[in-house]
Amino acid sequence: MTLFNRAKTVMPFILILFAGAVMIFSSSKNAQSDTTSTPAEVKTAVFAAGCFWCIEKDYEKHDGVVKAVSGYAGGTIENPTYQNHEGYVEAIKVFYDPRKLSYKDLLEIYWSNVDPLDARGQFCDKGNAYKSAIFYGDESEQKLAEQSLKKVAKLLDTDDIATTIHEATTFYDAEDYHQDYYKKNSNKYEFYRWRCGRDSRLKELWGDKALKRLDIF
């Protein structure tokens, strides 16, 4: 075989190898680009503030909250339902982007949407299932929750804060018809919220900070 013919035979293989290298390099660049644009790991936090329909909406309107799921927290029986969740409180699990919101931010949002002086429940809903509570996931969250409670007590000039703080246990999602109730049944939801006097009581407590966030940190 002449040198020329050998070169003709080898050249296609060289071109294939070169094309393959270009594709690998391009894929590597794309993979690096995808990595840099991937959101930070979503974190979760659990709060109880009376009717879970309401506090779900109150959190989901904030940038950085991916979603809020209505459910039951703080009890011991397995698989609670709306008909049987004795020992649980209505609560939400907040999924949030820590690049946009910190746990401190979530606490400031929480206090502006709760009546911490009501030991019997929240607004027109009374009973253990409607009591306000913060469920911490680790020691850092516990310390921040306790600090925030002390700051709220000072702000209201009282030692009688009814909101309690607990270590988080298993959170159970509520039934599908409870999820995003304020979107699926907006008229019924708005009437319920108005009739319950939730917003008027919050404004009475927090003024222009109500339904937004308290500057306590």
Side-chain angles (χ1 to χ4, degrees):
M1 182 182 288
T2 65
L3 183 63
F4 176 72
N5 287 334
R6 182 174 296 181
K8 288 176 64 180
T9 303
V10 173
M11 185 59 71
F13 291 99
I14 294 176
L15 291 174
I16 291 171
L17 289 172
F18 178 76
V22 169
M23 290 177 66
I24 292 172
F25 177 74
S26 176
S27 297
S28 175
K29 284 191 67 179
N30 288 336
Q32 291 177 358
S33 176
D34 290 344
T35 299
T36 57
S37 62
T38 300
E41 181 181 356
V42 173
K43 300 184 71 174
T44 62
V46 177
F47 302 100
C51 174
F52 44 32
W53 299 342
C54 296
I55 194 65
E56 181 183 314
K57 178 187 178 182
D58 294 334
Y59 268 99
E60 287 192 337
K61 68 184 181 182
H62 288 275
D63 184 37
V65 172
V66 179
K67 65 177 179 177
V69 175
S70 291
Y72 312 106
T76 57
I77 63 172
E78 293 184 2
N79 303 313
T81 65
Y82 192 64
Q83 287 70 33
N84 179 25
H85 54 274
E86 184 178 354
Y88 286 84
V89 291
E90 289 195 9
I92 59 164
K93 178 180 283 189
V94 180
F95 293 77
Y96 68 100
D97 184 344
R99 298 177 307 172
K100 297 181 178 180
L101 286 173
S102 68
Y103 190 69
K104 285 183 178 181
D105 294 324
L106 297 181
L107 288 169
E108 291 188 329
I109 294 169
Y110 174 76
W111 289 111
S112 73
N113 285 282
V114 71
D115 179 356
L117 303 179
D118 191 345
R120 297 187 300 125
Q122 287 291 291
F123 314 104
C124 68
D125 295 314
K126 305 303 180 185
N128 290 331
Y130 299 104
K131 290 184 177 180
S132 58
I134 298 170
F135 295 89
Y136 61 85
D138 56 32
E139 187 177 346
S140 173
E141 290 184 357
Q142 179 185 10
K143 289 180 179 178
L144 289 173
E146 290 172 349
Q147 288 175 17
S148 71
L149 187 149
K150 290 178 181 177
K151 290 175 182 292
V152 166
K154 185 176 182 180
L155 193 63
L156 295 176
D157 191 25
T158 182
D159 294 324
D160 296 324
I161 297 298
T163 302
T164 53
I165 298 173
H166 311 272
E167 182 177 7
T169 54
T170 303
F171 178 93
Y172 290 92
D173 293 2
E175 294 80 354
D176 287 344
Y177 67 89
H178 286 300
Q179 308 302 334
D180 290 324
Y181 188 88
Y182 73 95
K183 295 178 182 177
K184 300 173 184 175
N185 304 277
S186 58
N187 290 336
K188 291 181 179 178
Y189 167 78
E190 292 298 341
F191 177 74
Y192 158 77
R193 185 164 183 140
W194 169 78
R195 182 180 60 81
C196 211
R198 188 180 186 103
D199 294 351
S200 60
R201 174 56 177 162
L202 290 173
K203 289 179 181 178
E204 180 183 338
L205 280 167
W206 307 120
D208 60 2
K209 301 292 184 182
L211 306 167
K212 299 176 183 176
R213 55 188 296 172
L214 298 185
D215 298 320
I216 56 176
F217 284 107

